[in-house]
PDB file of all heavy atoms in Angstrom:
ATOM      1  N   GLY A 205      23.806 144.750 101.511  1.00 95.00           N
ATOM      2  CA  GLY A 205      22.361 144.577 101.400  1.00 95.00           C
ATOM      3  C   GLY A 205      21.948 143.221 100.874  1.00 95.00           C
ATOM      4  O   GLY A 205      21.088 142.538 101.458  1.00 95.00           O
ATOM      5  N   MET A 206      22.551 142.792  99.776  1.00 97.00           N
ATOM      6  CA  MET A 206      22.198 141.495  99.216  1.00 97.00           C
ATOM      7  C   MET A 206      22.729 140.356 100.078  1.00 97.00           C
ATOM      8  O   MET A 206      22.039 139.359 100.309  1.00 97.00           O
ATOM      9  CB  MET A 206      22.720 141.381  97.778  1.00 97.00           C
ATOM     10  CG  MET A 206      21.880 142.139  96.771  1.00 97.00           C
ATOM     11  SD  MET A 206      22.337 141.829  95.046  1.00 97.00           S
ATOM     12  CE  MET A 206      23.829 142.828  94.915  1.00 97.00           C
ATOM     13  N   GLY A 207      23.971 140.489 100.556  1.00 97.00           N
ATOM     14  CA  GLY A 207      24.550 139.442 101.376  1.00 97.00           C
ATOM     15  C   GLY A 207      23.751 139.176 102.640  1.00 97.00           C
ATOM     16  O   GLY A 207      23.522 138.024 103.019  1.00 97.00           O
ATOM     17  N   ALA A 208      23.313 140.252 103.304  1.00 97.00           N
ATOM     18  CA  ALA A 208      22.523 140.090 104.535  1.00 97.00           C
ATOM     19  C   ALA A 208      21.184 139.423 104.245  1.00 97.00           C
ATOM     20  O   ALA A 208      20.715 138.584 105.020  1.00 97.00           O
ATOM     21  CB  ALA A 208      22.311 141.448 105.192  1.00 97.00           C
ATOM     22  N   ALA A 209      20.565 139.783 103.123  1.00 97.00           N
ATOM     23  CA  ALA A 209      19.288 139.160 102.761  1.00 97.00           C
ATOM     24  C   ALA A 209      19.478 137.670 102.471  1.00 97.00           C
ATOM     25  O   ALA A 209      18.634 136.843 102.837  1.00 97.00           O
ATOM     26  CB  ALA A 209      18.688 139.868 101.545  1.00 97.00           C
ATOM     27  N   ILE A 210      20.584 137.332 101.830  1.00 98.00           N
ATOM     28  CA  ILE A 210      20.883 135.924 101.567  1.00 98.00           C
ATOM     29  C   ILE A 210      21.107 135.178 102.879  1.00 98.00           C
ATOM     30  O   ILE A 210      20.620 134.062 103.077  1.00 98.00           O
ATOM     31  CB  ILE A 210      22.117 135.812 100.644  1.00 98.00           C
ATOM     32  CG1 ILE A 210      21.803 136.386  99.257  1.00 98.00           C
ATOM     33  CG2 ILE A 210      22.572 134.354 100.528  1.00 98.00           C
ATOM     34  CD1 ILE A 210      23.033 136.619  98.398  1.00 98.00           C
ATOM     35  N   ALA A 211      21.841 135.808 103.797  1.00 97.00           N
ATOM     36  CA  ALA A 211      22.086 135.177 105.102  1.00 97.00           C
ATOM     37  C   ALA A 211      20.778 134.898 105.833  1.00 97.00           C
ATOM     38  O   ALA A 211      20.594 133.819 106.413  1.00 97.00           O
ATOM     39  CB  ALA A 211      22.989 136.079 105.952  1.00 97.00           C
ATOM     40  N   ARG A 212      19.855 135.842 105.788  1.00 96.00           N
ATOM     41  CA  ARG A 212      18.588 135.663 106.506  1.00 96.00           C
ATOM     42  C   ARG A 212      17.786 134.496 105.951  1.00 96.00           C
ATOM     43  O   ARG A 212      17.191 133.720 106.703  1.00 96.00           O
ATOM     44  CB  ARG A 212      17.763 136.955 106.445  1.00 96.00           C
ATOM     45  CG  ARG A 212      18.371 138.084 107.265  1.00 96.00           C
ATOM     46  CD  ARG A 212      17.465 139.305 107.337  1.00 96.00           C
ATOM     47  NE  ARG A 212      18.157 140.412 107.997  1.00 96.00           N
ATOM     48  CZ  ARG A 212      18.777 141.396 107.367  1.00 96.00           C
ATOM     49  NH1 ARG A 212      18.760 141.442 106.029  1.00 96.00           N
ATOM     50  NH2 ARG A 212      19.400 142.343 108.033  1.00 96.00           N
ATOM     51  N   ILE A 213      17.782 134.349 104.649  1.00 96.00           N
ATOM     52  CA  ILE A 213      16.964 133.285 104.072  1.00 96.00           C
ATOM     53  C   ILE A 213      17.547 131.912 104.391  1.00 96.00           C
ATOM     54  O   ILE A 213      16.806 130.951 104.640  1.00 96.00           O
ATOM     55  CB  ILE A 213      16.776 133.501 102.547  1.00 96.00           C
ATOM     56  CG1 ILE A 213      15.475 132.865 102.075  1.00 96.00           C
ATOM     57  CG2 ILE A 213      17.937 132.992 101.737  1.00 96.00           C
ATOM     58  CD1 ILE A 213      15.034 133.327 100.688  1.00 96.00           C
ATOM     59  N   PHE A 214      18.879 131.802 104.466  1.00 96.00           N
ATOM     60  CA  PHE A 214      19.479 130.508 104.778  1.00 96.00           C
ATOM     61  C   PHE A 214      19.422 130.195 106.267  1.00 96.00           C
ATOM     62  O   PHE A 214      19.275 129.033 106.645  1.00 96.00           O
ATOM     63  CB  PHE A 214      20.915 130.440 104.257  1.00 96.00           C
ATOM     64  CG  PHE A 214      21.002 130.140 102.790  1.00 96.00           C
ATOM     65  CD1 PHE A 214      21.471 131.097 101.899  1.00 96.00           C
ATOM     66  CD2 PHE A 214      20.607 128.914 102.290  1.00 96.00           C
ATOM     67  CE1 PHE A 214      21.540 130.827 100.536  1.00 96.00           C
ATOM     68  CE2 PHE A 214      20.675 128.633 100.928  1.00 96.00           C
ATOM     69  CZ  PHE A 214      21.138 129.596 100.048  1.00 96.00           C
ATOM     70  N   VAL A 215      19.523 131.210 107.124  1.00 95.00           N
ATOM     71  CA  VAL A 215      19.406 130.930 108.552  1.00 95.00           C
ATOM     72  C   VAL A 215      17.983 130.514 108.894  1.00 95.00           C
ATOM     73  O   VAL A 215      17.764 129.664 109.777  1.00 95.00           O
ATOM     74  CB  VAL A 215      19.873 132.141 109.396  1.00 95.00           C
ATOM     75  CG1 VAL A 215      18.794 133.193 109.573  1.00 95.00           C
ATOM     76  CG2 VAL A 215      20.382 131.683 110.766  1.00 95.00           C
ATOM     77  N   GLU A 216      17.009 131.052 108.188  1.00 92.00           N
ATOM     78  CA  GLU A 216      15.619 130.630 108.390  1.00 92.00           C
ATOM     79  C   GLU A 216      15.410 129.162 108.021  1.00 92.00           C
ATOM     80  O   GLU A 216      14.527 128.495 108.564  1.00 92.00           O
ATOM     81  CB  GLU A 216      14.678 131.511 107.567  1.00 92.00           C
ATOM     82  CG  GLU A 216      14.524 132.925 108.101  1.00 92.00           C
ATOM     83  CD  GLU A 216      13.791 133.845 107.143  1.00 92.00           C
ATOM     84  OE1 GLU A 216      13.365 133.367 106.058  1.00 92.00           O
ATOM     85  OE2 GLU A 216      13.655 135.039 107.460  1.00 92.00           O
ATOM     86  N   GLN A 217      16.245 128.668 107.104  1.00 92.00           N
ATOM     87  CA  GLN A 217      16.162 127.269 106.701  1.00 92.00           C
ATOM     88  C   GLN A 217      16.970 126.356 107.617  1.00 92.00           C
ATOM     89  O   GLN A 217      16.983 125.135 107.426  1.00 92.00           O
ATOM     90  CB  GLN A 217      16.641 127.105 105.254  1.00 92.00           C
ATOM     91  CG  GLN A 217      15.759 127.812 104.227  1.00 92.00           C
ATOM     92  CD  GLN A 217      16.317 127.724 102.813  1.00 92.00           C
ATOM     93  OE1 GLN A 217      17.368 127.127 102.574  1.00 92.00           O
ATOM     94  NE2 GLN A 217      15.620 128.313 101.865  1.00 92.00           N
ATOM     95  N   GLY A 218      17.650 126.933 108.607  1.00 92.00           N
ATOM     96  CA  GLY A 218      18.385 126.147 109.585  1.00 92.00           C
ATOM     97  C   GLY A 218      19.791 125.745 109.186  1.00 92.00           C
ATOM     98  O   GLY A 218      20.390 124.871 109.811  1.00 92.00           O
ATOM     99  N   HIS A 219      20.343 126.385 108.170  1.00 93.00           N
ATOM    100  CA  HIS A 219      21.698 126.045 107.729  1.00 93.00           C
ATOM    101  C   HIS A 219      22.752 126.660 108.642  1.00 93.00           C
ATOM    102  O   HIS A 219      22.561 127.745 109.193  1.00 93.00           O
ATOM    103  CB  HIS A 219      21.938 126.562 106.311  1.00 93.00           C
ATOM    104  CG  HIS A 219      21.126 125.882 105.275  1.00 93.00           C
ATOM    105  ND1 HIS A 219      21.479 124.675 104.713  1.00 93.00           N
ATOM    106  CD2 HIS A 219      19.952 126.237 104.675  1.00 93.00           C
ATOM    107  CE1 HIS A 219      20.572 124.319 103.817  1.00 93.00           C
ATOM    108  NE2 HIS A 219      19.640 125.246 103.778  1.00 93.00           N
ATOM    109  N   GLN A 220      23.864 125.973 108.777  1.00 94.00           N
ATOM    110  CA  GLN A 220      25.002 126.587 109.457  1.00 94.00           C
ATOM    111  C   GLN A 220      25.700 127.510 108.474  1.00 94.00           C
ATOM    112  O   GLN A 220      25.874 127.180 107.300  1.00 94.00           O
ATOM    113  CB  GLN A 220      25.966 125.530 109.993  1.00 94.00           C
ATOM    114  CG  GLN A 220      26.540 124.564 108.970  1.00 94.00           C
ATOM    115  CD  GLN A 220      27.590 123.668 109.608  1.00 94.00           C
ATOM    116  OE1 GLN A 220      28.538 124.128 110.271  1.00 94.00           O
ATOM    117  NE2 GLN A 220      27.444 122.365 109.419  1.00 94.00           N
ATOM    118  N   LEU A 221      26.088 128.687 108.953  1.00 97.00           N
ATOM    119  CA  LEU A 221      26.600 129.728 108.084  1.00 97.00           C
ATOM    120  C   LEU A 221      28.033 130.096 108.413  1.00 97.00           C
ATOM    121  O   LEU A 221      28.430 130.126 109.577  1.00 97.00           O
ATOM    122  CB  LEU A 221      25.746 130.996 108.204  1.00 97.00           C
ATOM    123  CG  LEU A 221      24.248 130.895 107.980  1.00 97.00           C
ATOM    124  CD1 LEU A 221      23.618 132.290 108.076  1.00 97.00           C
ATOM    125  CD2 LEU A 221      23.934 130.271 106.637  1.00 97.00           C
ATOM    126  N   ILE A 222      28.783 130.416 107.365  1.00 98.00           N
ATOM    127  CA  ILE A 222      30.062 131.106 107.496  1.00 98.00           C
ATOM    128  C   ILE A 222      29.880 132.434 106.777  1.00 98.00           C
ATOM    129  O   ILE A 222      29.702 132.470 105.552  1.00 98.00           O
ATOM    130  CB  ILE A 222      31.226 130.307 106.889  1.00 98.00           C
ATOM    131  CG1 ILE A 222      31.418 129.004 107.663  1.00 98.00           C
ATOM    132  CG2 ILE A 222      32.507 131.138 106.902  1.00 98.00           C
ATOM    133  CD1 ILE A 222      32.473 128.089 107.083  1.00 98.00           C
ATOM    134  N   LEU A 223      29.860 133.503 107.546  1.00 98.00           N
ATOM    135  CA  LEU A 223      29.614 134.839 107.010  1.00 98.00           C
ATOM    136  C   LEU A 223      30.928 135.600 106.934  1.00 98.00           C
ATOM    137  O   LEU A 223      31.693 135.628 107.889  1.00 98.00           O
ATOM    138  CB  LEU A 223      28.645 135.608 107.911  1.00 98.00           C
ATOM    139  CG  LEU A 223      27.301 134.947 108.203  1.00 98.00           C
ATOM    140  CD1 LEU A 223      26.478 135.830 109.132  1.00 98.00           C
ATOM    141  CD2 LEU A 223      26.544 134.651 106.922  1.00 98.00           C
ATOM    142  N   SER A 224      31.157 136.237 105.796  1.00 98.00           N
ATOM    143  CA  SER A 224      32.406 136.973 105.624  1.00 98.00           C
ATOM    144  C   SER A 224      32.136 138.345 105.033  1.00 98.00           C
ATOM    145  O   SER A 224      31.250 138.514 104.189  1.00 98.00           O
ATOM    146  CB  SER A 224      33.350 136.190 104.705  1.00 98.00           C
ATOM    147  OG  SER A 224      34.552 136.904 104.515  1.00 98.00           O
ATOM    148  N   ASP A 225      32.913 139.322 105.480  1.00 97.00           N
ATOM    149  CA  ASP A 225      32.803 140.678 104.968  1.00 97.00           C
ATOM    150  C   ASP A 225      34.043 141.448 105.391  1.00 97.00           C
ATOM    151  O   ASP A 225      34.706 141.092 106.370  1.00 97.00           O
ATOM    152  CB  ASP A 225      31.546 141.371 105.515  1.00 97.00           C
ATOM    153  CG  ASP A 225      31.152 142.587 104.688  1.00 97.00           C
ATOM    154  OD1 ASP A 225      31.669 143.684 104.964  1.00 97.00           O
ATOM    155  OD2 ASP A 225      30.346 142.428 103.752  1.00 97.00           O
ATOM    156  N   LEU A 226      34.334 142.514 104.668  1.00 96.00           N
ATOM    157  CA  LEU A 226      35.455 143.386 105.031  1.00 96.00           C
ATOM    158  C   LEU A 226      35.170 144.146 106.319  1.00 96.00           C
ATOM    159  O   LEU A 226      36.068 144.399 107.126  1.00 96.00           O
ATOM    160  CB  LEU A 226      35.725 144.368 103.893  1.00 96.00           C
ATOM    161  CG  LEU A 226      36.888 145.343 104.072  1.00 96.00           C
ATOM    162  CD1 LEU A 226      38.217 144.613 104.202  1.00 96.00           C
ATOM    163  CD2 LEU A 226      36.947 146.320 102.895  1.00 96.00           C
ATOM    164  N   ASN A 227      33.906 144.507 106.533  1.00 94.00           N
ATOM    165  CA  ASN A 227      33.497 145.323 107.674  1.00 94.00           C
ATOM    166  C   ASN A 227      33.203 144.423 108.877  1.00 94.00           C
ATOM    167  O   ASN A 227      32.129 143.834 108.989  1.00 94.00           O
ATOM    168  CB  ASN A 227      32.256 146.134 107.297  1.00 94.00           C
ATOM    169  CG  ASN A 227      31.882 147.161 108.353  1.00 94.00           C
ATOM    170  OD1 ASN A 227      32.093 146.952 109.546  1.00 94.00           O
ATOM    171  ND2 ASN A 227      31.314 148.276 107.910  1.00 94.00           N
ATOM    172  N   ALA A 228      34.177 144.304 109.772  1.00 96.00           N
ATOM    173  CA  ALA A 228      34.052 143.387 110.906  1.00 96.00           C
ATOM    174  C   ALA A 228      32.904 143.768 111.832  1.00 96.00           C
ATOM    175  O   ALA A 228      32.154 142.899 112.302  1.00 96.00           O
ATOM    176  CB  ALA A 228      35.361 143.343 111.688  1.00 96.00           C
ATOM    177  N   ALA A 229      32.738 145.058 112.116  1.00 96.00           N
ATOM    178  CA  ALA A 229      31.677 145.485 113.032  1.00 96.00           C
ATOM    179  C   ALA A 229      30.300 145.188 112.444  1.00 96.00           C
ATOM    180  O   ALA A 229      29.405 144.685 113.147  1.00 96.00           O
ATOM    181  CB  ALA A 229      31.815 146.972 113.331  1.00 96.00           C
ATOM    182  N   ALA A 230      30.114 145.493 111.169  1.00 96.00           N
ATOM    183  CA  ALA A 230      28.831 145.224 110.520  1.00 96.00           C
ATOM    184  C   ALA A 230      28.555 143.729 110.470  1.00 96.00           C
ATOM    185  O   ALA A 230      27.397 143.286 110.588  1.00 96.00           O
ATOM    186  CB  ALA A 230      28.817 145.812 109.111  1.00 96.00           C
TER     187      ALA A 230
END
């Protein structure tokens, strides 16, 4: 929940992202 919200705010700012999680499908 928190990680996804953080990802959304940075993608809105146009940053390139490296997203990591244990759950590959999610």
Side-chain angles (χ1 to χ4, degrees):
M206 283 188 283
I210 294 166
R212 291 187 187 97
I213 207 165
F214 280 113
V215 83
E216 288 170 2
Q217 295 176 0
H219 293 278
Q220 58 174 308
L221 306 183
I222 296 176
L223 305 179
S224 179
D225 198 273
L226 181 62
N227 188 328

